[in-house]
Amino acid sequence: MKIITFLFANLLLTLTASAHGISDADKQGILEGGNLEYLKLGATHMLSGYDHLLFLFGVIFFLTKFKDIVKFITAFTLGHCITLVFATLLHIQANFYLIDAVIALTVCYKAFDNLDGFRKYIGIQSPNLLTAVFLFGLIHGFGLSTRLQQLPLGQEGLVLRILSFNVGVEVGQIIALAVMGLFLAQWRTRPSFLQFSKAANVLLMAAGLLLLLMQLHGYQHTRFADDFPLNKDEHFHIHENMDTNRDLETAQTAP
């Protein structure tokens, strides 16, 4: 059990440490560069943003018409542009781990919707998807804003820097959608699509749950920094001690 805990804790630690934040190298590049660096950062941030990419993959998974893809992606884009721009301009902030935890839930939601979960398991019609995608876009945009606000943005030329980052995000999104769209278009022509589409969305939901755990774990490190050091050896000993104490409490309360 302790070995499993060790492996799982290290997996969460590795994923948390490599989460798509703003690295020191990115910060240095921004300080030395100009608006083009913000555009580049926005594109790479979206392309490395596995939570955003998983959600987009879920959105277009069953969409076969180009106009439908454009409609839903436009709703998502409008939503994340609104919060990205205005939350950054107004300096509205929140713990980015908690925001990313909510974003992970949007991945789970879309996978659940793709599995027809509302009708099968709750007995209701699926909520309006276009509205849901727009609302989730607002959440994703707030997540992007919290990351952008890690940079020393300043006030002079702030709007242009935000817009440059936003344009970069859209460029990255277009690239990602093109790749995902081509992959799905090819896959739909094969019998395996019907055979494994359910399994793919189950995996999508599992990925969303893993991201949720990862972000909540990261939040513990920021909220209780002294109790959860980011050193792997110390991190393992913390979890090992937690397991030992839990075992002792169980033994003491057992009849």
Side-chain angles (χ1 to χ4, degrees):
M1 180 61 187
K2 290 180 179 180
I3 297 299
I4 295 175
T5 302
F6 172 68
L7 293 174
F8 186 66
N10 275 339
L11 173 62
L12 288 179
L13 177 62
T14 302
L15 289 173
T16 300
S18 62
H20 63 293
I22 305 297
S23 67
D24 291 336
D26 288 335
K27 292 179 181 179
Q28 189 61 37
I30 287 294
L31 290 174
E32 296 174 354
N35 292 318
L36 187 60
E37 287 297 320
Y38 280 90
L39 190 149
K40 177 183 174 183
L41 179 61
T44 56
H45 190 76
M46 173 57 77
L47 289 172
S48 64
Y50 32 76
D51 46 4
H52 304 300
L53 298 179
L54 287 172
F55 178 75
L56 289 173
F57 185 74
V59 169
I60 69 170
F61 191 86
F62 285 118
L63 297 180
T64 57
K65 296 180 180 179
F66 181 73
K67 66 177 183 179
D68 289 333
I69 295 175
V70 170
K71 179 174 67 174
F72 282 98
I73 296 305
T74 299
F76 178 72
T77 301
L78 181 60
H80 77 236
C81 285
I82 289 173
T83 44
L84 171 57
V85 172
F86 287 102
T88 308
L89 277 176
L90 299 175
H91 306 292
I92 300 172
Q93 297 183 343
N95 185 287
F96 55 79
Y97 282 114
L98 291 182
I99 298 301
D100 284 355
V102 178
I103 290 175
L105 287 175
T106 69
V107 176
C108 296
Y109 178 99
K110 193 65 198 78
F112 185 74
D113 182 59
N114 285 352
L115 292 167
D116 198 20
F118 288 98
R119 184 182 62 83
K120 288 181 178 179
Y121 304 110
I122 305 179
I124 62 173
Q125 285 290 88
S126 177
N128 184 277
L129 184 56
L130 192 63
T131 301
V133 168
F134 171 75
L135 293 176
F136 292 157
L138 294 174
I139 298 171
H140 283 247
F142 191 35
L144 292 167
S145 175
T146 59
R147 299 296 187 173
L148 180 58
Q149 289 185 70
Q150 294 177 37
L151 293 171
L153 293 171
Q155 289 299 321
E156 186 177 351
L158 175 61
V159 173
L160 188 56
R161 283 192 288 274
I162 296 172
L163 292 178
S164 297
F165 181 80
N166 197 8
V167 169
V169 167
E170 306 316 323
V171 171
Q173 181 172 278
I174 290 171
I175 294 172
L177 284 169
V179 173
M180 289 187 287
L182 288 173
F183 167 75
L184 287 171
Q186 289 296 317
W187 190 22
R188 289 191 193 102
T189 63
R190 303 175 183 274
S192 61
F193 181 78
L194 292 178
Q195 295 171 355
F196 295 106
S197 60
K198 181 178 179 179
N201 280 281
V202 170
L203 287 175
L204 183 63
M205 182 176 290
L209 290 173
L210 179 60
L211 288 175
L212 175 64
L213 291 175
M214 179 190 81
Q215 300 301 342
L216 292 178
H217 192 73
Y219 174 71
Q220 284 186 306
H221 283 281
T222 59
R223 181 68 177 82
F224 307 104
D226 294 334
D227 296 332
F228 291 92
L230 278 174
N231 174 277
K232 282 191 176 183
D233 292 332
E234 293 180 33
H235 183 272
F236 169 59
H237 289 309
I238 289 292
H239 284 279
E240 187 178 44
N241 291 336
M242 289 172 64
D243 281 345
T244 301
N245 292 336
R246 191 178 300 112
D247 291 342
L248 286 174
E249 290 175 3
T250 302
Q252 289 171 358
T253 56

